[in-house]
Amino acid sequence: MAETEAAPGAPATIAPALSILPQTKSDWELDVTRLHSLPSEQQELYLLSFTAGLATHVENLSADGATAEQTALKKELFQIINLSSPPPTRVIRNNVGRCFSAILTRGSRKILYESIHDCVDILNAPVKDKDLRAKHAATHCLGALFEAAGDSAMSLSPLACTALLKQLKPAANDAGYRSAIYRALGKVVKGIVAAIDEELGRNIWKLARSAVAGDKSFLVQASACKCLEHLINHTTYFDNSNDFEKLQIALWKAMESTSIALRRAA
């Protein structure tokens, strides 16, 4: 069953009580053996507490601390993304994305290129070899990476966007995943600051416009609207009467929706 995503602009995170936050650097290594030794109903709670604590830790690091720990933190974050049991849920994805954002905005960006390539590798892996929930987490984190430091990774934007667009087909039955793809595409467009490649931008525009007008999920339609907004704000490719008219038709359809969130996004 498809997992429901939070509405754009309202990420879900849970901060654990201070008493259960690890206090030393070594404590921020996920004990996978311990995790899997717990009853299944407790594994997700353990992982949730760990990622929430880790996000709090990273957000409180100094610039020097973030730079010093970023390689070790990256290893832990991708270990979480690639977990098959328990798979990363929405709140855990949000916490991991918070970590990447804090690392790259506080410390150096030496892990940026490698992290983007690792996310793309997860997306490009055959579905039989990689759970869609891991791909969903990688999609969310790819958006967080570009949102935080996309101006330092402009050359990788075509690679990232191409990988994301290819995921729309396997995400056909997962509205939450499709929504995450459009949000990530929008963050790439916004994060690189400079205008994205025109051919790629027009491909994203066409698919997002189609989703706004015809996707069966209100959540996906709202995320596609946000993607279109970033394309309009950060490129000049669509500043013409033809594209305006087509966009207007799609947005009018969306504004006839019964969903308040979708009408607001449109």
Side-chain angles (χ1 to χ4, degrees), residues 74-151:
K74 171 184 171 293
K75 179 181 177 181
E76 295 304 312
L77 293 174
F78 275 100
Q79 181 172 232
I80 294 168
I81 290 172
N82 285 304
L83 278 175
S84 58
S85 177
T89 58
R90 173 168 53 87
V91 180
I92 292 169
R93 289 193 297 269
N94 287 337
N95 286 335
V96 173
R98 282 172 57 197
C99 289
F100 276 120
S101 179
I103 291 169
L104 294 171
T105 53
R106 282 170 169 73
S108 72
R109 295 179 173 183
K110 65 182 181 181
I111 66 166
L112 176 61
Y113 269 56
E114 187 177 348
S115 298
I116 291 173
H117 278 291
D118 287 347
C119 285
V120 169
D121 287 344
I122 293 173
L123 295 180
N124 288 337
V127 175
K128 63 179 181 180
D129 297 333
K130 189 66 64 175
D131 192 301
L132 275 183
R133 288 168 292 190
K135 290 175 177 283
H136 192 160
T139 294
H140 177 83
C141 291
L142 194 56
L145 289 165
F146 273 94
E147 184 176 41
D151 56 329

Side-chain angles (χ1 to χ4, degrees), residues 135-197:
K135 290 175 177 283
H136 192 160
T139 294
H140 177 83
C141 291
L142 194 56
L145 289 165
F146 273 94
E147 184 176 41
D151 56 329
S152 296
M154 288 185 288
S155 63
L156 293 183
S157 60
L159 176 71
C161 289
T162 300
L164 288 167
L165 290 172
K166 287 181 179 178
Q167 290 305 301
L168 288 172
K169 184 175 181 180
N173 296 319
D174 189 332
Y177 189 15
R178 293 199 307 282
S179 172
I181 291 169
Y182 284 115
R183 289 204 307 275
L185 286 167
K187 289 177 181 179
V188 174
V189 171
K190 177 184 177 182
I192 62 174
V193 180
I196 198 167
D197 173 77

